[in-house]
């Protein structure tokens, strides 16, 4: 440690005290992978613990002082009741600065250095740490100035004792810090800029250091970590493609599949099947044999790398892979039906008997054209209408009677105007439907989920209209079109009304749809008029799951309704965007006047609930206004987030009316 250089920088930088905390941890209690949100001093006043700073282990006892920079990973295992002060600060070199100062900052940055020692004269440090905490709790500006003065006195005495005791410090390894963070947080949204912000350096510096040490970029390394984790999950039969994609940091399973294929060379489904074949070959020699004697595996009805096999009737958790004869039988039956239909069309035509089969297709086509012309000439026939949708145009006539719907919000749209689909994708929550629609969905066939519709099941239902979404099902659009006329919405954004209008055009219920929407809009305006000053309440929306913690912004389902009502949002969420993935260091951005949160748990697990418990125990969370004021409220994810349609919007409005006590 070049103490003189450190003192020069302490004399020139601008210091801002970010927070002063006092924490007591019970014997046996642990803190795992806590990332320092700023440079920090940790001053132990009682007890002992095993502590790790970026993996470097040691034992700390009473009066021990630790220092680390922003992004340092801290682990604590308490042996004897531990009491300590955490003093967070930020140091900035003001402009203009001399080149010499910049050189020292880049090579000997004291605000990033890691060290720990037991001072010979701890009493004065103890007094100043305790007084800083007491002054920090007071709201007056003058007291905050006093905290800053005490902080400089604390640093002065620390520097003096560091010099006397010849303490050695360790310069943090930015590349290793980044790797440790990515290995622990690969499920979250990680960018080069967010890594640089976390480690308090600039992105060019981090990229240069990382490439020089690891011969790759941080983001390529992150993708490598994610794909290795995905391989582990793909070797199991217990997870759906959607679950695997989310668990390694991808909210879009289609995008995950593209990245996986680019990195690994095969699609996730191919990798999964190959892994299971290799496993099975230990006991089955046919998998090892290339000779005609060994029976080859039947190719299923799969195109564009999609395995559309689901648990029948939607019972239990949908699996990515399933050996089943049902799908194959359904496909063969469907093909046989088409063949039989083609053979029996125009049976009175003598050309078939005479063996002139070449004319059969022409005859069938002529009959179909004649039938269409006859239908068009009937007085009761409705004029064809051209539906412009995300994939082009579709011409429809009349009101469809056998509709298959491939989105959750689309299901609610159909039910709103009295249409019960013959087939629908299962709800994200429920078995297989959300509680608020299950009575209306009795006897409706489950056709997979939004990410993996079961094409064979859809075909077997013989629909006269299929409604889907480009974001979810673009790759299977051509297959769906071969089954029935198909209309796709463009997106699944927070403004569900856009898709609702398209659905109404497709099912020929435009008037009924407009009336339903007018009724809803009137409810919203009535509530907005009665809210008054209550609309100034800043509403925070947070989602917890095993893989991610997110804040939800204005372009989400609940966010759109809050905007329509004129209800305020915290600055971090008052954005025309969808979501942001959070890390614990960003917990303060979750604050507001009230926090509504929902939890995503896979069936049969409580992993998401455990994340809630862990985050709410964090000192940063306990320091939130919503936590102090007991304004943290759990709500139903189906209503606030995943259902996303007309019925859920009305139920969400009901809950907001109740919370804000709108009369």
């Amino acid at each position: 440690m070049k103490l003189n250089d450190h003192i020069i920088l302490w004399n020139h930088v601008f210091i801002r005290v970010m927070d002063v905390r006092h924490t007591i941890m019970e014997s046996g209690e642990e803190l795992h992978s806590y990332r320092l949100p700023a440079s920090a001093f940790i001053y132990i006043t009682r007890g002992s613990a095993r502590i790790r700073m970026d993996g470097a282990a040691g034992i700390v006892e009473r009066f021990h002082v630790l220092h680390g920079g922003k992004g340092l990973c801290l682990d604590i295992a308490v042996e004897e009741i531990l009491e300590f002060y955490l003093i967070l600060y930020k140091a900035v070199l003001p402009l203009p600065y001399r080149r010499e100062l910049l050189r020292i900052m880049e090579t000997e940055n004291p605000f990033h250095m890691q060290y720990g020692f037991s001072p010979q004269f701890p009493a004065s440090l103890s007094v100043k740490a305790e007084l800083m905490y007491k002054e920090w709790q007071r709201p007056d500006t003058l007291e905050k100035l006093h905290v800053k003065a005490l902080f400089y006195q604390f640093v002065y005495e620390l520097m003096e004792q560091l010099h006397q005791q010849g303490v050695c410090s360790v310069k943090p390894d930015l590349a290793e810090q980044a790797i440790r963070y990515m290995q622990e947080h690969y499920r979250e949204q990680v960018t080069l800029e967010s890594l640089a912000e976390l480690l308090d350096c600039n992105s060019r510096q981090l990229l240069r250091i990382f490439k020089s040490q690891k011969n790759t970029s941080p983001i390529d390394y992150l993708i490598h970590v994610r794909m290795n984790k995905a391989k582990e999950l793909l070797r199991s039969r217990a997870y759906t493609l959607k679950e695997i994609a989310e668990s390694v940091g991808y909210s879009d399973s289609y995008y995950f599949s593209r990245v996986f294929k680019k990195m690994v060379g095969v699609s996730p489904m191919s990798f999964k099947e190959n892994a299971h074949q290799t496993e099975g070959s230990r006991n089955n020699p046919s998998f090892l044999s290339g000779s005609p004697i060994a029976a080859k595996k039947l190719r299923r009805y799969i195109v564009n790398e999609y395995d559309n096999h689901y648990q029948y009737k939607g019972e239990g958790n949908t699996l990515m892979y399933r050996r089943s004869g049902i799908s194959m039988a359904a496909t063969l039956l469907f093909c046989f039906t088409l063949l039989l239909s083609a053979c029996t069309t125009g049976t009175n035509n003598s050309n078939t008997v005479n063996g002139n089969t070449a004319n059969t297709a022409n005859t069938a086509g002529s009959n179909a054209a004649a039938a269409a012309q006859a239908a068009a000439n009937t007085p009761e026939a409705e004029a064809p209408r051209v539906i412009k949708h995300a994939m082009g145009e579709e011409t429809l006539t009349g009101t469809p009677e056998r509709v298959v719907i491939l989105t959750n919000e689309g299901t609610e749209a159909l039910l709103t105007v009295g249409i019960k689909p013959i087939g629908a994708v299962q709800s994200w929550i429920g078995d297989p439907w959300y509680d608020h629609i299950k009575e209306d969905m009795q006897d409706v066939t489950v056709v997979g989920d939004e990410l993996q519709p079961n094409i064979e099941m859809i075909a077997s239902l013989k629909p006269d209209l299929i409604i889907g979404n480009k974001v979810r099902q673009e790759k299977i659009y051509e297959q769906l079109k071969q089954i029935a006329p198909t209309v796709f919405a463009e997106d699944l954004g927070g403004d569900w009304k856009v898709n609702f209008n398209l659905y109404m055009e497709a099912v020929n219920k435009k008037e009924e749809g407009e009336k339903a929407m007018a009724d809803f809009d009137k409810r919203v305006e009535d509530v907005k008029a009665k809210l008054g000053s209550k609309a100034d309440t800043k509403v925070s929306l947070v989602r917890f799951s095993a893989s991610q913690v997110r804040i939800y912004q204005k372009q989400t389902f609940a966010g759109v309704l809050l905007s329509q009502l004129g209800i305020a949002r915290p600055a971090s969420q008052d954005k025309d965007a969808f979501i942001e993935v959070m890390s614990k260091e960003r917990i303060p951005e979750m604050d507001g006047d009230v926090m509504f949160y929902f939890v995503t748990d896979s069936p049969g697990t409580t992993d998401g609930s455990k994340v809630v418990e862990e985050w709410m125990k964090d000192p940063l969370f306990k320091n939130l206004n919503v936590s102090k004021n007991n304004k943290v409220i759990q709500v139903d994810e189906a209503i606030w987030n995943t259902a996303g349609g007309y019925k859920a919007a009305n139920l969400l409005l009901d809950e907001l009316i109740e919370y804000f006590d709108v009369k």
Side-chain angles (χ1 to χ4, degrees):
M1 177 185 290
K2 297 180 180 179
L3 191 61
N4 286 337
D5 287 344
H6 289 196
I7 293 172
I8 290 172
L9 285 176
W10 276 106
N11 274 324
H12 283 85
V13 295
F14 169 76
I15 294 293
R16 179 185 173 193
V17 179
M18 308 294 290
D19 200 1
V20 182
R21 306 176 194 167
H22 177 236
T23 302
I24 298 176
M25 298 177 67
E26 299 296 329
S27 178
E29 191 175 347
E30 295 184 353
L31 176 68
H32 294 291
S33 300
Y34 175 69
R35 295 273 170 183
L36 291 181
S39 298
F41 289 104
I42 303 171
Y43 185 58
I44 313 295
T45 58
R46 178 167 53 134
S48 64
R50 294 184 179 275
I51 197 164
R52 295 171 68 90
M53 299 171 65
D54 277 344
I59 296 177
V60 295
E61 295 178 334
R62 188 183 183 199
F63 299 140
H64 209 95
V65 178
L66 302 169
H67 182 270
K70 181 179 180 180
L72 177 142
C73 184
L74 184 67
D75 296 275
I76 300 176
V78 179
E79 293 184 344
E80 181 183 345
I81 188 167
L82 187 72
E83 184 175 359
F84 63 90
Y85 290 96
L86 177 64
I87 305 164
L88 296 162
Y89 72 93
K90 184 176 183 179
V92 179
L93 197 60
L95 294 173
Y97 49 76
R98 301 196 307 270
R99 287 187 178 181
E100 179 64 15
L101 293 177
L102 183 60
R103 182 194 65 78
I104 298 174
M105 181 71 98
E106 289 181 348
T107 58
E108 290 289 330
N109 189 336
F111 318 112
H112 283 180
M113 289 294 183
Q114 299 170 9
Y115 54 84
F117 75 110
S118 295
Q120 291 179 343
F121 307 103
S124 181
L125 292 173
S126 298
V127 170
K128 289 178 176 59
E130 182 179 355
L131 189 53
M132 263 192 283
Y133 175 72
K134 288 180 178 178
E135 295 288 78
W136 186 257
Q137 302 307 304
R138 299 174 66 178
D140 299 338
T141 306
L142 186 60
E143 273 63 44
K144 294 298 187 288
L145 180 61
H146 190 195
V147 169
K148 193 170 185 177
L150 290 167
F151 177 81
Y152 274 111
Q153 294 176 36
F154 184 90
V155 171
Y156 169 77
E157 294 200 19
L158 205 60
M159 291 294 110
E160 187 175 34
Q161 296 199 47
L162 281 170
H163 176 66
Q164 292 174 354
Q165 296 180 225
V167 174
C168 294
S169 61
V170 177
K171 188 176 181 180
D173 188 326
L174 289 179
E176 288 300 326
Q177 283 186 314
I179 285 173
R180 178 185 290 270
Y181 182 83
M182 288 187 287
Q183 288 175 339
E184 293 174 354
H185 298 267
Y186 62 86
R187 300 179 180 89
E188 302 172 8
Q189 184 180 6
V190 179
T191 64
L192 180 62
E193 289 71 23
S194 66
L195 278 173
E197 170 66 19
L198 173 75
L199 302 175
D200 202 20
C201 62
N202 64 63
S203 55
R204 293 173 62 185
Q205 178 188 10
L206 177 60
L207 183 61
R208 183 180 69 252
I209 293 172
F210 202 98
K211 279 191 171 182
S212 67
Q213 292 188 24
K214 306 301 176 184
N215 202 30
T216 187
S217 71
I219 299 308
D220 284 342
Y221 182 90
L222 173 65
I223 294 173
H224 179 73
V225 170
R226 287 173 168 173
M227 294 307 107
N228 283 339
K229 297 293 183 181
K231 287 179 185 177
E232 294 175 12
L233 296 173
L234 284 164
R235 292 187 179 99
S236 167
R237 299 177 187 269
Y239 303 101
T240 65
L241 184 62
K242 173 180 177 291
E243 289 170 341
I244 291 175
E246 283 200 345
S247 70
V248 296
Y250 297 95
S251 57
D252 186 341
S253 60
Y254 293 150
Y255 179 70
F256 161 71
S257 296
R258 292 198 296 272
V259 174
F260 188 93
K261 187 172 183 180
K262 181 179 179 181
M263 295 294 295
V264 182
V266 296
S267 70
M269 298 308 306
S270 298
F271 180 89
K272 189 174 187 74
E273 289 205 15
N274 291 338
H276 292 160
Q277 286 177 1
T278 303
E279 181 182 349
S281 66
R282 297 170 187 167
N283 300 315
N284 186 352
S286 69
F287 287 116
L288 299 172
S289 174
S291 70
I293 297 174
K296 297 218 179 255
K297 186 178 180 182
L298 285 174
R299 298 184 67 84
R300 293 195 174 118
Y301 184 73
I302 302 172
V303 231
N304 296 335
E305 301 172 2
Y306 284 92
D307 187 346
N308 296 292
H309 295 269
Y310 286 79
Q311 292 187 347
Y312 190 57
K313 297 181 181 177
E315 295 173 0
N317 193 27
T318 302
L319 299 182
M320 283 176 54
Y321 178 91
R322 180 177 177 181
R323 297 179 182 272
S324 170
I326 295 175
S327 301
M328 196 64 196
T331 305
L332 292 174
L333 178 61
F334 176 60
C335 294
F336 179 73
T337 303
L338 291 177
L339 180 62
L340 184 62
S341 174
C343 291
T344 55
T345 301
T347 52
N348 293 329
N349 194 324
S350 59
N351 289 336
T352 305
V353 178
N354 294 334
N356 189 10
T357 56
N359 292 328
T360 303
N362 292 333
T363 303
S366 300
N367 290 346
Q373 184 63 40
N377 292 332
T378 57
E380 65 273 12
E382 298 181 35
R385 60 191 188 281
V386 177
I387 309 298
K388 294 182 179 180
H389 62 106
M391 306 302 291
E393 294 183 350
E394 188 69 69
T395 302
L396 301 173
T397 304
T399 302
E401 296 180 355
R402 300 180 62 81
V403 182
V404 169
I405 182 72
L406 303 182
T407 64
N408 280 240
E409 43 104 37
T411 300
E412 295 202 358
L414 298 187
L415 294 176
T416 298
V417 292
I419 295 177
K420 177 186 283 191
I422 58 167
V425 289
Q426 65 189 50
S427 301
W428 293 117
I429 301 168
D431 186 19
W433 315 115
Y434 294 119
D435 287 343
H436 65 278
I437 64 169
K438 64 183 179 182
E439 289 186 8
D440 297 326
M441 293 292 285
Q442 290 181 17
D443 302 323
V444 175
T445 301
V446 177
V447 293
D449 65 27
E450 285 189 14
L451 297 176
Q452 290 181 308
N454 187 327
I455 295 177
E456 295 89 347
M457 184 65 74
I458 295 170
S460 71
L461 294 174
K462 299 181 182 178
D464 51 20
L465 176 64
I466 301 171
I467 299 176
N469 191 281
K470 184 178 180 181
V471 169
R472 293 289 196 235
Q473 299 111 17
E474 181 178 9
K475 287 192 174 183
I476 59 172
Y477 171 72
E478 293 299 331
Q479 295 169 256
L480 295 172
K481 266 191 78 173
Q482 294 173 21
I483 299 171
T486 302
V487 172
F488 268 18
E490 179 71 37
D491 203 351
L492 278 169
D495 192 356
W496 53 275
K497 294 182 180 181
V498 175
N499 292 354
F500 183 90
N501 294 334
L502 174 65
Y503 302 151
M504 294 303 102
E505 285 189 57
V507 298
N508 203 20
K509 295 282 187 179
K510 191 172 180 180
E511 284 188 20
E512 293 91 329
E514 288 175 350
K515 182 181 182 306
M517 196 58 69
D519 291 343
F520 175 76
D521 288 341
K522 185 178 184 306
R523 284 196 72 202
V524 172
E525 288 305 314
D526 288 346
V527 174
K528 182 177 181 180
K530 294 175 181 177
L531 273 171
S533 61
K534 294 177 182 178
D536 296 333
T537 303
K538 292 181 180 178
V539 173
S540 175
L541 297 177
V542 179
R543 176 217 184 197
F544 292 92
S545 72
S547 59
Q548 291 179 341
V549 177
R550 303 170 174 177
I551 55 173
Y552 276 58
Q553 295 162 334
K554 294 170 74 173
Q555 290 304 316
T556 54
F557 179 64
V560 166
L561 182 55
L562 291 172
S563 295
Q564 290 172 337
L565 291 167
I567 294 175
R569 304 294 304 279
S572 63
Q573 300 174 33
D574 193 21
K575 300 177 182 178
D576 286 320
F578 184 55
I579 63 165
E580 282 189 47
V581 178
M582 306 300 289
S583 58
K584 286 186 177 179
E585 292 74 23
R586 299 179 63 190
I587 284 178
E589 297 177 36
M590 299 161 64
D591 207 357
D593 296 318
V594 59
M595 177 193 292
F596 295 110
Y597 76 94
F598 35 88
V599 184
T600 303
D601 270 323
S602 299
T605 72
T606 58
D607 293 341
S609 301
K610 290 177 182 176
V611 172
V612 175
E613 184 179 355
E614 176 190 338
W615 278 56
M616 290 189 179
K617 285 182 177 178
D618 191 281
L620 280 175
F621 194 94
K622 291 180 179 180
N623 200 42
L624 296 179
N625 289 325
V626 290
S627 182
K628 292 177 180 177
N629 298 327
N630 198 27
K631 292 290 185 180
V632 181
I633 302 169
Q634 183 172 0
V635 292
D636 184 352
E637 183 181 19
I639 302 302
W640 285 70
N641 183 36
T642 59
Y646 185 91
K647 290 180 175 291
N650 275 283
L651 291 171
L652 174 53
L653 186 56
D654 290 341
E655 293 193 17
L656 291 171
I657 289 171
E658 182 179 357
Y659 176 78
F660 286 105
D661 194 25
V662 176
K663 302 298 184 184

